[in-house]
Amino acid sequence: MLYAIVGEDVPGSLDKRISARPAHLERLKTLQEQGRLVLAGPFPAIDSPDPGPAGFSGSLIVADFESLEAAQAWASADPYATEGVFVRVTVRPFRKVLPA
């Protein structure tokens, strides 16, 4: 089943994001290689594709996991969660409708 993982950044998270990003991306690449990743990306803190020093306010990942518990465990172990980028992480079941 698909799950939406939404991480909300702590204020001033940009330096922590930059530091944790390589390990975060490696985990996402593993999901992608397994055919389980639907999409992943950050929420810019301002209305711009490149927010510069304004940074980001959070991230969204939609991926396939065996269960809600497995998705929560994956999210809890992500470097953005363990290195203090995220202040809160929400994991919810997700049903993709479009594109088909």
Side-chain angles (χ1 to χ4, degrees), residues 6-62:
V6 178
E8 298 174 47
D9 282 26
V10 299
S13 64
L14 189 56
D15 289 340
K16 289 181 181 181
R17 266 185 174 270
I18 291 168
S19 177
R21 189 170 192 263
H24 170 74
L25 290 179
E26 282 302 313
R27 295 182 87 236
L28 290 173
K29 286 178 187 176
T30 298
L31 287 177
Q32 183 177 18
E33 290 166 359
Q34 295 169 346
R36 297 170 47 202
L37 183 65
V38 175
L39 65 88
F43 299 116
I46 60 174
D47 189 12
S48 172
D50 181 4
F56 301 91
S57 62
S59 296
L60 169 65
I61 299 165
V62 177

Side-chain angles (χ1 to χ4, degrees), residues 5 27 65 67-79 81-82 89 91:
I5 300 168
R27 295 182 87 236
F65 291 93
S67 65
L68 177 59
E69 293 77 16
Q72 290 169 329
W74 187 95
S76 294
D78 187 78
T82 62
V89 177
V91 181

